[in-house]
Amino acid sequence: MKGNSVENSYSISFVVSQSKSSSLKILSTMLLYNVRKLTYAFIAIVLLYVTGQMLRSNSQLDIQDRTAQLKQLSKLFSSGSSNSRIWRGQQACKHPDLDVYSPVMMAHIHKTDPIVCSPEKDWVEIDGSKAKITAEARQKHGEIECSFTDILRSNDFSSRTGISTTTHTEYNLENADFVRIHCVANDGKRWSNLMAGARHDQDVLDQSGWEKLPDKTLKLNVLMFGFDSLSRNTFIRKLPKSYDYLTKALKSIVLKGYNIVGDGTPQALIPILTGRTELELPDTRKRMGSEANYVNVYPFVWNDYHNNGYVTGYMEDTPDVGIFTFRLKGFSDQPTDYYLHTYYLDLKTQLHKHKPLCVGSMPRHKVMLDYARHIFTVNKERPKFVFGFHGEISHDSYNQVGAADDDLLEWMKWFNDEGHLNNTVLILMSDHGHRFAEVRNTQQGRLEERLPFFSFAFPPWFEKLHPEAARNFKINSERLTTPFDIHSTLMNILKFEGADMGDISQRSISLFKEVPKERSCIDAHIEPHWCACLDWEKIDPGTSIIQKAAKTLVDAINEYNKKYSNLCEQLSLNSVLWAAKLLPSKAVQTFKQSADMDGFVPDLSGKLEITMELYQIKISVLPGGGLFESSLTYMVKDDAFSLKIEEVSRINKYGAAARCIENTQEQLRKFCYCKDDA
């Protein structure tokens, strides 16, 4: 209004100084100008009103959209059927046996350079709750004075500073796990950093203890750690040292049939941590404003552990795109006893001081790995549930996670060498495979997205004390499993419910129980477009493609026997008894992306190029009448079959036919027909 008054005053004084005709002309211009202003103002008001209505309308659509999403899922599930009776003891879900080093996937793989951080080691080291100025720094720079400023959580989107303490030696973390450190040395050099440890918290110590656990507990710590966007095959490709140690030294059980149940990280982790889908829980979406709940309303599994005497910890990086802070409203109260989110939140303001993927002399992923160590160090004599999920190094790059292989290996060895794994179940995992377009648009890439890495390593005593549960876990590594099953398993660690047969009618089956062979994606509540189980299509054994597959199988057996051709007969095809082709389901082939912003409603307008087909055949051979069953991969462009000889099954008895090699070449028993029997 003040601007308008000045402008009008200036116009009137200007009119008085002109001639009458000029004045009329100017007055007319003024009136026209003001009319235009009023018109613009009116248009602006209309636009504001319309925009407001649109915003209100969009908000209503968001509310209705949640209902629409639920209806869509219900429709998808009702369109399928379990068919469990059809399988009658056979495995209903056949996941593809995807070549780890497939040329299609290896085209996206390259060697990863190490993460090179500051050449000078950090002046301060933290072990558990104690921060100490290093002897190396003092030797190099002389006497050093450091100030430690506590970093405290305000909420999930801001932090604040606490008290500062100055020392020349060491500092004990008491009020906060995270400290900004500023040091000045006698030689004039300065050093600063943001560091993390695990404070001694008397309240935590008082509420926790092994003696507080329920009677039926398995008395195990739970240590879960995952990298974002790693399929089972990608874990093997990019973290080979860790995979080797995990499977050989720690005897970890890798879930080969683990299948995602939704799009993106929240839909992978919310079922694990709550046993429910996001749509089954109270609405926590930011865009719903005051109608949304904070995610504390979720029934997180760590609450059950906390209420039963466990120390709890939750670790996650990338707060701007966090699991519970990107689309969702975040936590109103700190969710666990130890909560790394605040560290990464404060670190955002200081990233410009550090090299990419670094904080001081340390790669940033090590902050999370070390935080778990600090928690276990400080609370060594207490039961612990710690869940960590790291995204920065793996989410945006298919290859960068390879730089963490040595660190992850060293981390596992530390837990093992320090004795922590004697009473801990170590769970290494991911949420889903990579989702970048160039990978996701390939047939293998799309299937790998649905088959993330998931593994369990139990203490050596577990199998002796619970043989049936351990047996079931090994069986279930080849069965269809889901995030819902992981939740039941975590709850069963806290309250063990036996190791009998799982109920196929239940969406969630503890992996301590046997998952039925007949379980299908519909049984497990996996929508068709996320189901990696292959569709079976029976094929006439007489077709040329099947005859070619059968010849490949016989040739492979003869090649395997070749070294002992003086003892074993050359085999020939007698007949093909049965054949089937296995392909990704139509829903997987047509899935393009999620059609809604929450990732629940599928866009099925895509078209996947089929570059490989999986065939299963059953054949009989001569001489001897041996029956063999095998899976073969057909590469469409190459018009060629391949198979793994160790996966060929002999399905009738070979008896004495292999007696000429049975004591010397055990691996040939199922293939060799001795010449003296011909």
Side-chain angles (χ1 to χ4, degrees):
M1 291 299 294
K2 184 178 180 181
N4 288 340
S5 298
V6 171
E7 183 180 1
N8 291 339
S9 175
Y10 174 81
S11 299
I12 292 170
S13 65
F14 185 80
V15 170
V16 171
S17 65
Q18 303 298 319
S19 64
K20 187 176 181 180
S21 60
S22 297
S23 297
L24 289 171
K25 183 177 181 180
I26 291 170
L27 184 60
S28 174
T29 302
M30 282 178 55
L31 289 170
L32 180 61
Y33 174 75
N34 285 327
V35 167
R36 285 176 177 169
K37 284 179 67 178
L38 288 170
T39 303
Y40 293 152
F42 177 75
I43 292 172
I45 291 170
V46 171
L47 285 174
L48 284 171
Y49 175 78
V50 171
T51 303
Q53 289 296 102
M54 289 175 65
L55 288 172
R56 281 191 289 274
S57 177
N58 283 339
S59 177
Q60 290 169 356
L61 286 173
D62 281 336
I63 297 170
Q64 294 169 0
D65 183 52
R66 193 170 174 85
T67 303
Q69 290 165 338
L70 282 164
K71 287 182 178 179
Q72 174 72 12
L73 296 187
S74 177
K75 182 179 178 182
L76 287 167
F77 286 126
S78 64
S79 66
S81 62
S82 165
N83 291 326
S84 57
R85 283 177 290 181
I86 296 176
W87 296 102
R88 291 194 297 264
Q90 300 179 54
Q91 186 132 337
C93 174
K94 174 65 177 177
H95 277 130
D97 185 10
L98 301 171
D99 183 6
V100 174
Y101 303 105
S102 159
V104 173
M105 302 304 289
M106 293 305 291
H108 302 282
I109 302 295
H110 60 72
K111 189 176 180 180
T112 310
D113 294 327
I115 299 172
V116 180
C117 298
S118 172
E120 183 176 11
K121 288 186 178 180
D122 292 337
W123 290 13
V124 173
E125 291 179 345
I126 295 183
D127 182 22
S129 62
K130 184 174 290 186
K132 188 176 182 179
I133 301 171
T134 67
E136 182 179 342
R138 287 202 301 268
Q139 184 178 3
K140 183 175 181 180
H141 300 288
E143 188 70 16
I144 297 173
E145 180 180 87
C146 295
S147 69
F148 293 81
T149 303
D150 292 337
I151 300 301
L152 304 168
R153 178 183 185 271
S154 293
N155 53 52
D156 264 3
F157 302 95
S158 64
S159 60
R160 68 184 193 277
T161 57
I163 63 172
S164 295
T165 304
T166 301
T167 181
H168 292 80
T169 54
E170 60 186 41
Y171 173 73
N172 287 319
L173 301 175
E174 295 179 355
N175 299 313
D177 290 345
F178 319 120
V179 283
R180 290 182 190 170
I181 309 172
H182 298 280
C183 301
V184 181
N186 275 357
D187 63 2
K189 298 291 184 181
R190 294 175 178 271
W191 176 89
S192 63
N193 203 356
L194 175 67
M195 302 191 79
R199 73 200 180 284
H200 274 286
D201 189 319
Q202 194 58 47
D203 289 338
V204 172
L205 297 177
D206 290 343
Q207 65 84 29
S208 61
W210 290 105
E211 73 282 358
K212 298 179 184 293
L213 269 57
D215 292 337
K216 292 185 177 181
T217 182
L218 292 177
K219 293 191 176 181
L220 288 168
N221 297 312
V222 177
L223 176 57
M224 295 182 69
F225 181 79
F227 285 114
D228 201 322
S229 303
L230 293 187
S231 69
R232 180 166 59 89
N233 281 355
T234 300
F235 192 104
I236 298 170
R237 294 181 194 113
K238 299 305 301 183
L239 300 167
K241 297 177 186 177
S242 298
Y243 183 78
D244 189 68
Y245 183 79
L246 187 67
T247 53
K248 293 179 180 177
L250 300 184
K251 308 297 183 185
S252 185
I253 299 168
V254 179
L255 303 183
K256 298 177 183 177
Y258 184 75
N259 201 119
I260 63 174
V261 295
D263 193 11
T265 304
Q267 311 322 322
L269 298 189
I270 289 175
I272 290 174
L273 297 174
T274 72
R276 304 177 192 175
T277 68
E278 183 186 328
L279 285 174
E280 294 168 344
L281 294 164
D283 200 344
T284 62
R285 292 174 296 174
K286 279 182 185 176
R287 67 181 189 272
M288 302 311 296
S290 60
E291 295 181 12
N293 298 274
Y294 288 99
V295 291
N296 300 76
V297 72
Y298 289 178
F300 285 105
V301 66
W302 54 59
N303 293 335
D304 294 278
Y305 277 82
H306 178 272
N307 293 336
N308 283 281
Y310 274 73
V311 176
T312 58
Y314 175 42
M315 311 180 296
E316 186 193 1
D317 63 338
T318 61
D320 286 343
V321 290
I323 301 165
F324 302 109
T325 54
F326 178 52
R327 279 189 313 104
L328 307 182
K329 202 170 177 178
F331 293 93
S332 56
D333 300 316
Q334 182 167 309
T336 52
D337 298 319
Y338 294 93
Y339 187 48
L340 192 58
H341 178 90
T342 304
Y343 171 89
Y344 285 103
L345 194 64
D346 196 68
L347 183 63
K348 284 196 313 175
T349 64
Q350 303 180 46
L351 288 179
H352 63 282
K353 301 177 182 178
H354 304 283
K355 291 186 176 182
L357 300 175
C358 295
V359 53
S361 64
M362 180 187 293
R364 281 201 285 271
H365 63 268
K366 281 202 69 179
V367 174
M368 186 177 292
L369 293 172
D370 284 352
Y371 191 54
R373 287 203 268 205
H374 298 319
I375 295 172
F376 269 69
T377 297
V378 170
N379 301 280
K380 187 171 184 178
E381 303 305 323
R382 284 169 169 75
K384 296 160 286 291
F385 177 96
V386 178
F387 175 67
F389 193 75
H390 190 85
E392 182 182 35
I393 199 172
S394 57
H395 183 273
D396 295 333
S397 169
Y398 200 80
N399 292 284
Q400 189 64 61
V401 71
D405 195 14
D406 287 335
D407 295 326
L408 184 62
L409 174 62
E410 186 271 333
W411 183 76
M412 289 189 289
K413 286 183 175 180
W414 181 88
F415 275 95
N416 199 21
D417 294 344
E418 291 294 316
H420 292 295
L421 297 189
N422 290 335
N423 62 346
T424 298
V425 54
L426 173 64
I427 305 171
L428 292 190
M429 43 76 69
S430 184
D431 51 351
H432 50 71
H434 255 289
R435 306 165 72 225
F436 290 130
E438 64 270 21
V439 174
R440 198 187 205 188
N441 286 341
T442 66
Q443 182 179 346
Q444 181 157 339
R446 188 169 296 187
L447 290 170
E448 285 198 15
E449 179 196 4
R450 289 152 172 77
L451 300 170
F453 184 81
F454 224 104
S455 68
F456 288 77
F458 289 94
W461 55 261
F462 180 79
E463 186 169 4
K464 295 177 183 177
L465 197 61
H466 302 283
E468 288 301 313
R471 169 187 167 275
N472 287 341
F473 239 97
K474 292 174 183 177
I475 290 173
N476 292 338
S477 70
E478 304 286 345
R479 303 276 170 88
L480 174 62
T481 54
T482 75
F484 297 114
D485 303 330
I486 305 302
H487 180 266
S488 283
T489 305
L490 294 176
M491 295 301 290
N492 266 202
I493 291 172
L494 192 60
K495 185 179 179 182
F496 188 60
E497 295 180 346
D500 50 355
M501 177 63 71
D503 184 350
I504 198 171
S505 69
Q506 298 299 309
R507 175 175 70 178
S508 181
I509 300 174
S510 167
L511 298 182
F512 295 119
K513 299 176 182 288
E514 183 179 342
V515 173
K517 282 184 178 181
E518 300 87 353
R519 193 188 209 190
S520 70
C521 281
I522 296 299
D523 296 318
H525 283 234
I526 304 171
E527 299 156 58
H529 53 284
W530 295 122
C531 179
C533 302
L534 300 175
D535 278 353
W536 297 62
E537 176 188 343
K538 195 172 180 180
I539 298 179
D540 182 352
T543 59
S544 59
I545 190 75
I546 297 302
Q547 290 297 311
K548 185 173 184 176
K551 183 179 184 305
T552 301
L553 175 54
V554 173
D555 289 347
I557 294 173
N558 284 328
E559 182 64 27
Y560 196 61
N561 285 339
K562 188 175 182 180
K563 188 176 179 180
Y564 299 92
S565 58
N566 61 319
L567 298 173
C568 303
E569 282 286 347
Q570 178 96 352
L571 302 180
S572 62
L573 178 67
N574 180 35
S575 64
V576 179
L577 304 174
W578 178 86
K581 179 167 67 172
L582 295 86
L583 284 173
S585 69
K586 294 296 182 184
V588 171
Q589 292 183 45
T590 57
F591 179 79
K592 184 177 182 181
Q593 60 188 8
S594 290
D596 65 325
M597 62 195 308
D598 295 309
F600 294 114
V601 180
D603 175 354
L604 299 177
S605 64
K607 185 177 182 181
L608 178 66
E609 179 186 5
I610 299 299
T611 58
M612 62 179 179
E613 299 170 343
L614 183 66
Y615 288 83
Q616 284 199 333
I617 60 173
K618 183 189 297 183
I619 65 170
S620 66
V621 298
L622 294 173
L627 299 179
F628 295 96
E629 194 170 77
S630 179
S631 295
L632 300 94
T633 301
Y634 178 66
M635 302 308 295
V636 176
K637 290 183 179 179
D638 298 333
D639 187 26
F641 280 97
S642 64
L643 61 92
K644 295 179 181 179
I645 194 69
E646 61 271 18
E647 294 182 3
V648 176
S649 299
R650 174 75 179 251
I651 57 176
N652 66 334
K653 295 181 179 180
Y654 51 82
R659 64 180 178 274
C660 60
I661 51 85
E662 64 180 351
N663 295 322
T664 57
Q665 304 298 326
E666 184 179 350
Q667 77 280 7
L668 295 182
R669 286 179 181 177
K670 62 182 177 181
F671 297 125
C672 179
Y673 186 81
C674 293
K675 284 188 173 182
D676 59 0
D677 280 344

